[in-house]
Amino acid sequence: MASKSFSEEDLSCPVCCEIFKDPLIMSCSHSVCKVCLQKFWESKGSRECPVCRRRSSKQDPPPNLALKNLCESFSVEKTQRSSAGSEVLCSQHGEKLKLFCLEDQQLVCLVCRDSAKHRNHRFQPVDEAAVEFKENLKMKLKPLQKTLKIFKDVKLTWNQTAEKIQIQTQHTERRIKEEFQKLHQFLRDEEAARIAALRGEEEQKSQMMKEKMEKMSREISSLSDTIRAIEKEMGAEDVSFLQNYRTTITRTQCRLEHPERLSGALIHVKKHLRNLKFTVWEKMQEIIHTPVTLNPITAHPRLVLSEDLTSVRYSDERQKLPDNPERFGLYAAVLGSEGFNSGTHCWDVDVGGNTGWLLGVMIESAERKGSVYSRSGIWYMDYYDGKYRAGSTPNPATLLSFNRKLQKIRVTLDWDGGKLSFSDAVNNTHLHTHTHTFTERVFPYFNTGCKLSPLRILPVKVHVSVEQQS
């Protein structure tokens, strides 16, 4: 048979390294596939033998019919052996491959075992080696399967984020239109500009999400293909499995970076809605005091914010919101839309009949997942179980004593002076002051667990002054 006289290497083209197809014989006696020779001559620009580089005297070398017939017979015999499940024979000795060399990681026959090439090597029967190496491959497969699950879970989260972007866009557009309906006709140009900005951000972030999900789909597809290929090899016959083992084990070494968490992926609602009337008015008046509003992408899923982002209440029903890095995960808290790293800022909060609240500021770098009060970064005053307290995390709070129930709290931040003060906004009575040298941006912090009465940020009184030039 052809397989006993020749190996596949003997019948392979020196250019493409595959079994010859339409072999041509050169004047130097070397043989090359017809297509390979044509491509080689085209790339070289001269008629040379790809093996010895001798110039060919013939423009059309004759076919090597004997070699062609031999290759066809070899291919047919190889196919028949594979389809019939016949035992593969040693290419050198024509004997059955009964052993597996542990040093060289290859199948060998009894003659190979006794040869000098495998002297002092360790061997295992094929069936034992197959069981051992399949177990090893199974262990290598587990991290790939775990990574695939992580990727699928992240893609699901990203799908939810993409849907949330669309919802935010629709909601924000409606709010913008409602606000602009209250303005005069000459302000409609500002409305159009803001809608365009929102649409531009939507297009940019939707495109970003599309690209990331397409990349994720490709990585999932590639990883799935790798896993299926490995699983297929594990289900093959022992001999076939061990023949391909070294190639298969390399597939398990692919390392894909876990997907990063998306920060800033959601629509910047605060940029489009933040104090809309005030920011538009600011273009007409140089002096205007901007009130604090709430940032919805930081709100805990149990918090419900008002349409104008100035009040917050607690709900028993947990909203389906993306778990983005900016959002609080454990405590029912929300931050203000704008942070401060200089100047003096003041905002009034109506706590009303709220039975539990916490007001203060939080540094920008503070962790928002887990127990935020066990780490530094929050300065506050709170009311729980009928008691008022003040503190800074992670230190214990100090009990405060008042002879009345507070209804409106004024929070005053002097960033440069290093002071955060709380006072009764009804009679402007001082309640407590924290002193700290601030070194980074801080955001207004709100926490409530009351379902009946929301926390409301009160509107500010705008003062317009006119200067007369002398």
Side-chain angles (χ1 to χ4, degrees):
M1 298 294 288
S3 62
K4 293 186 179 181
S5 302
F6 299 93
S7 66
E8 187 168 338
E9 183 178 354
D10 296 329
L11 302 177
S12 297
C13 170
V15 177
C16 65
C17 299
E18 302 288 341
I19 294 178
F20 283 106
K21 296 178 181 178
D22 297 324
L24 304 179
I25 186 167
M26 310 290 292
S27 55
C28 58
S29 300
H30 291 120
S31 295
V32 186
C33 291
K34 182 178 180 180
V35 175
C36 295
L37 183 62
Q38 291 174 347
K39 290 182 178 179
F40 181 79
W41 281 1
E42 289 174 0
S43 64
K44 293 290 291 183
S46 60
R47 298 195 300 270
E48 297 179 357
C49 172
V51 180
C52 64
R53 296 298 191 271
R54 285 182 57 184
R55 186 173 181 81
S56 174
S57 59
K58 299 178 181 180
Q59 184 173 355
D60 297 311
N64 190 337
L65 297 178
L67 180 58
K68 180 180 180 181
N69 293 335
L70 190 61
C71 290
E72 289 177 351
S73 299
F74 181 85
S75 297
V76 170
E77 181 182 345
K78 181 179 178 182
T79 301
Q80 290 175 344
R81 287 201 313 268
S82 177
S83 61
S86 302
E87 292 184 308
V88 181
L89 302 179
C90 177
S91 59
Q92 290 183 325
H93 307 109
E95 298 291 335
K96 293 181 180 180
L97 299 171
K98 295 184 176 181
L99 300 173
F100 187 75
C101 178
L102 298 177
E103 274 73 12
D104 293 334
Q105 297 277 292
Q106 67 180 59
L107 290 162
V108 296
C109 67
L110 296 178
V111 180
C112 292
R113 179 195 62 184
D114 299 331
S115 66
K117 180 181 178 181
H118 295 282
R119 183 173 299 157
N120 297 326
H121 286 187
R122 295 177 300 119
F123 303 90
Q124 267 188 320
V126 165
D127 55 348
E128 292 182 10
V131 171
E132 181 179 328
F133 282 96
K134 281 183 179 180
E135 286 298 321
N136 181 41
L137 197 57
K138 187 185 297 183
M139 297 301 297
K140 298 286 187 181
L141 195 60
K142 287 182 178 179
L144 295 181
Q145 293 168 331
K146 183 177 180 181
T147 301
L148 178 61
K149 184 180 183 304
I150 292 174
F151 275 44
K152 287 183 176 180
D153 290 343
V154 171
K155 185 184 178 185
L156 177 61
T157 301
W158 287 0
N159 281 331
Q160 295 172 346
T161 301
E163 293 173 0
K164 182 61 178 178
I165 289 175
Q166 302 301 321
I167 295 172
Q168 284 185 304
T169 300
Q170 296 169 6
H171 175 76
T172 306
E173 181 176 346
R174 178 174 62 82
R175 289 286 299 119
I176 290 175
K177 289 183 176 180
E178 288 176 355
E179 291 295 326
F180 271 98
Q181 287 174 359
K182 302 173 185 178
L183 301 176
H184 297 290
Q185 182 61 42
F186 71 91
L187 294 176
R188 295 202 179 278
D189 290 340
E190 180 70 15
E191 177 187 11
R194 288 178 177 271
I195 292 293
L198 173 63
R199 289 300 189 187
E201 184 178 359
E202 178 201 10
E203 180 179 356
Q204 176 188 0
K205 292 189 173 179
S206 295
Q207 180 63 28
M208 178 194 71
M209 290 303 304
K210 179 181 178 182
E211 292 173 358
K212 285 185 176 292
M213 287 189 290
E214 287 176 350
K215 180 181 177 183
M216 178 64 69
S217 295
R218 291 193 297 270
E219 292 177 342
I220 288 176
S221 177
S222 174
L223 192 56
S224 297
D225 291 342
T226 299
I227 291 175
R228 281 196 297 271
I230 294 174
E231 290 174 340
K232 182 178 179 181
E233 287 296 332
M234 292 175 64
E237 294 290 333
D238 292 350
V239 171
S240 177
F241 164 75
L242 292 173
Q243 278 186 312
N244 299 323
Y245 176 74
R246 281 189 292 181
T247 301
T248 304
I249 197 68
T250 59
R251 293 186 177 185
T252 66
Q253 298 171 2
C254 65
R255 293 293 181 266
L256 297 175
E257 295 183 359
H258 286 200
E260 75 281 9
R261 297 180 69 183
L262 289 178
S263 178
L266 297 175
I267 295 293
H268 288 172
V269 178
K270 63 179 181 180
K271 180 178 67 177
H272 301 285
L273 287 181
R274 183 180 62 220
N275 313 311
L276 190 57
K277 297 186 187 71
F278 287 91
T279 53
V280 174
W281 198 356
E282 192 175 18
K283 293 186 177 182
M284 298 181 288
Q285 304 290 340
E286 292 184 358
I287 301 175
I288 195 163
H289 298 278
T290 306
V292 169
T293 56
L294 304 174
N295 186 352
I297 68 172
T298 67
H300 185 276
R302 290 193 184 275
L303 293 184
V304 179
L305 276 56
S306 63
E307 288 283 321
D308 60 0
L309 304 179
T310 61
S311 71
V312 55
R313 64 177 177 84
Y314 186 86
S315 171
D316 285 334
E317 183 177 353
R318 187 182 182 93
Q319 303 172 83
K320 293 182 179 179
L321 299 173
D323 186 23
N324 48 292
E326 301 91 344
R327 193 178 305 281
F328 286 96
L330 181 59
Y331 292 99
V334 60
L335 294 182
S337 295
E338 185 176 358
F340 311 112
N341 59 1
S342 64
T344 299
H345 310 272
C346 178
W347 56 97
D348 293 350
V349 182
D350 184 356
V351 296
N354 203 302
T355 57
W357 52 264
L358 185 149
L359 304 174
V361 296
M362 178 180 187
I363 59 174
E364 186 172 22
S365 64
E367 177 62 41
R368 301 180 193 179
K369 309 295 183 183
S371 179
V372 298
Y373 300 114
S374 64
R375 295 179 286 270
S376 61
I378 302 177
W379 294 262
Y380 64 91
M381 176 179 172
D382 69 8
Y383 175 71
Y384 285 105
D385 295 330
K387 297 178 181 179
Y388 295 97
R389 302 179 304 169
S392 60
T393 61
N395 302 317
T398 301
L399 192 64
L400 304 177
S401 179
F402 308 115
N403 56 8
R404 64 193 181 280
K405 191 174 188 303
L406 303 175
Q407 298 292 320
K408 298 178 182 179
I409 306 298
R410 175 167 296 155
V411 184
T412 304
L413 170 68
D414 180 2
W415 195 95
D416 300 305
K419 293 181 180 181
L420 177 68
S421 301
F422 300 90
S423 58
D424 186 343
V426 175
N427 53 23
N428 201 27
T429 303
H430 176 262
L431 301 175
H432 184 80
T433 296
H434 292 290
T435 57
H436 177 78
T437 302
F438 297 105
T439 57
E440 63 174 290
R441 187 183 303 274
V442 297
F443 288 81
Y445 180 86
F446 306 84
N447 184 312
T448 179
C450 181
K451 296 176 286 185
L452 301 178
S453 180
L455 295 178
R456 292 192 305 113
I457 303 171
L458 299 174
V460 298
K461 295 181 179 180
V462 179
H463 301 278
V464 180
S465 62
V466 179
E467 280 189 10
Q468 291 185 345
Q469 295 183 351
S470 58

